[in-house]
Amino acid sequence: MTAQPSNGFDAYYAREIRPVLRKLERTRKRILLKLFTVVVIVGVLLSVTALILVLNRIPPAFAAIGLVPGLIIFFAANHYFTKRYKAQFKLHVIGKVVGFFDPSLTYEATGAVSSGHFVNSQMFDRRPDRYSGEDRVHGVMGKTRINFSEVHAEYKQVTYDSKGRRTESWHTIFKGLFFVGDFNKEIKGTTVVHPDVAERLLGRVGKMLQSFSTVLGSSELIKLEDPEFEKYFVVYGDDQVEARYILTPNLMRRILEFRKVTGHGLHLSFRGQNVYVGISSDHDMFEPRVFRTVWSKRLIKSYVADMAMAMGVVEELNLNRRIWTKR
């Protein structure tokens, strides 16, 4: 099972994290005071502007125009005051959360798994036009080299209306945690595992759509002899034999168990020497909060739980058990 936040965490929290939180909470309150001052000043200026307009018989509704620069000033001040605070929080709190699991791992708050890894996984059929990430953790965990971070990959879509006017929009390919782990086996082809939304929603029609989709690409639909696995996942690959060799009954069972642990959409890809895992998530897992207290063990445990989910890929998929050897 995945590492549990409660295993020895209370003592670690009291020793390593609570003293840091005390200082950060004082800093957070000073930031809130500064932001409150900015709000008061902007509010006074808007009120004075509205009064002048009234005295000059100009509808006070025009004062609403001043809300735009007022909001710009507030958000600029919020960014300026909180930038260093967030950096310190990640360095001294999230860094220590990583250390709770394995002090040999390296944490980079502004780092990310490279877009090259993302593309090489062939997990998704689009190359990202815009790619960003943060909170990278990398190193060797047990016998397995790991590299993961939060990632947001997007593609650009350009459309033209009947008058030839150009509209540009951005769409998410993947947002969540992206993990790269050493699979300790040289894989010749590519095997990709996706959540099987079609079959669960459409039943037999969904299965037909899956088969039809293989005509549109070079990959084949991989049929596996595990009804429960195929209920939740659909598998594509370019080598039927290798895909079945990789997705052993034991590994499929572990993937199913890990799906329950994450509670999110789970994607996997086996290619080259690596296993790639994408755990979809809409929220930023390791972001500090400015408008709510950080003096909360429950909050810190939520960060530990998210990190346990990421670290759990190694244990849940049994990557440290070297059942294969590289050539």
Side-chain angles (χ1 to χ4, degrees):
M1 292 298 294
T2 307
Q4 296 298 315
S6 58
N7 292 347
F9 179 71
D10 288 346
Y12 184 84
Y13 171 84
R15 184 179 69 253
E16 300 288 342
I17 298 179
R18 189 164 60 190
V20 177
L21 290 181
R22 185 177 290 110
K23 296 178 182 178
L24 287 170
E25 181 66 6
R26 289 197 294 265
T27 301
R28 189 189 71 85
K29 289 180 178 178
R30 287 196 295 269
I31 290 172
L32 289 182
L33 181 60
K34 292 176 181 178
L35 290 176
F36 177 74
T37 303
V38 170
V39 170
V40 170
I41 293 172
V42 171
V44 169
L45 291 175
L46 287 176
S47 299
V48 170
T49 302
L51 180 61
I52 293 172
L53 291 175
V54 170
L55 293 175
N56 287 276
R57 297 182 178 180
I58 299 173
F62 281 94
I65 298 173
L67 286 175
V68 176
L71 288 172
I72 292 174
I73 291 171
F74 174 78
F75 285 114
N78 180 59
H79 176 75
Y80 177 78
F81 292 140
T82 61
K83 184 177 180 181
R84 185 180 177 189
Y85 165 78
K86 289 182 177 180
Q88 290 297 310
F89 184 96
K90 288 196 171 191
L91 177 65
H92 296 295
V93 177
I94 304 302
K96 288 186 180 297
V97 168
V98 173
F100 169 66
F101 290 93
D102 191 332
S104 70
L105 296 175
T106 300
Y107 169 68
E108 300 172 3
T110 58
V113 174
S114 71
S115 59
H117 270 307
F118 186 86
V119 172
N120 187 63
S121 73
Q122 294 192 7
M123 192 178 288
F124 303 98
D125 59 1
R126 283 185 178 270
R127 294 177 68 96
D129 298 311
R130 185 163 65 187
Y131 181 91
S132 61
E134 59 183 348
D135 297 311
R136 180 186 178 216
V137 176
H138 60 98
V140 178
M141 192 172 184
K143 300 176 182 178
T144 304
R145 184 167 296 281
I146 65 171
N147 180 15
F148 67 84
S149 74
E150 290 190 87
V151 157
H152 190 194
E154 302 168 276
Y155 71 91
K156 181 171 65 175
Q157 187 174 45
V158 177
T159 57
Y160 296 88
D161 63 15
S162 58
K163 296 182 179 180
R165 288 175 296 198
R166 185 177 186 271
T167 301
E168 185 179 292
S169 57
W170 290 90
H171 304 272
T172 294
I173 301 170
F174 173 79
K175 186 177 189 298
L177 193 75
F178 191 78
F179 177 99
V180 185
D182 176 17
F183 199 55
N184 201 51
K185 173 179 169 57
E186 188 69 38
I187 303 169
K188 295 178 180 179
T190 301
T191 299
V192 179
V193 180
H194 287 302
D196 189 356
V197 178
E199 183 171 339
R200 275 178 292 151
L201 293 180
L202 303 175
R204 291 183 179 179
V205 176
K207 284 189 175 182
M208 291 173 62
L209 290 174
Q210 292 169 3
S211 300
F212 176 71
S213 68
T214 63
V215 178
L216 303 178
S218 59
S219 295
E220 303 175 21
L221 178 67
I222 307 296
K223 300 299 293 180
L224 301 166
E225 296 179 2
D226 189 324
E228 185 181 6
F229 188 84
E230 291 198 326
K231 179 180 177 182
Y232 293 102
F233 295 100
V234 58
V235 182
Y236 295 101
D238 48 22
D239 188 323
Q240 293 273 349
V241 174
E242 184 176 64
R244 294 190 184 93
Y245 181 53
I246 292 169
L247 292 168
T248 63
N250 181 58
L251 182 56
M252 285 190 286
R253 178 181 57 80
R254 285 181 169 273
I255 292 172
L256 283 169
E257 290 176 355
F258 190 52
R259 172 191 166 275
K260 295 177 184 177
V261 171
T262 64
H264 299 279
L266 188 63
H267 306 261
L268 299 97
S269 171
F270 301 86
R271 192 166 190 267
Q273 299 178 8
N274 296 322
V275 53
Y276 302 90
V277 181
I279 304 171
S280 301
S281 177
D282 289 328
H283 79 282
D284 292 327
M285 295 180 177
F286 309 113
E287 285 301 302
R289 303 183 301 188
V290 176
F291 295 100
R292 295 175 64 184
T293 182
V294 295
W295 191 248
S296 165
K297 185 186 291 187
R298 179 179 296 180
L299 170 67
I300 304 304
K301 281 192 173 183
S302 72
Y303 296 133
V304 175
D306 283 338
M307 193 65 70
M309 180 177 67
M311 302 284 191
V313 174
V314 174
E315 189 171 350
E316 292 291 348
L317 301 188
N318 212 16
L319 299 182
N320 276 328
R321 185 187 175 199
R322 298 320 213 182
I323 58 176
W324 290 301
T325 57
K326 295 178 182 176
R327 295 177 182 177

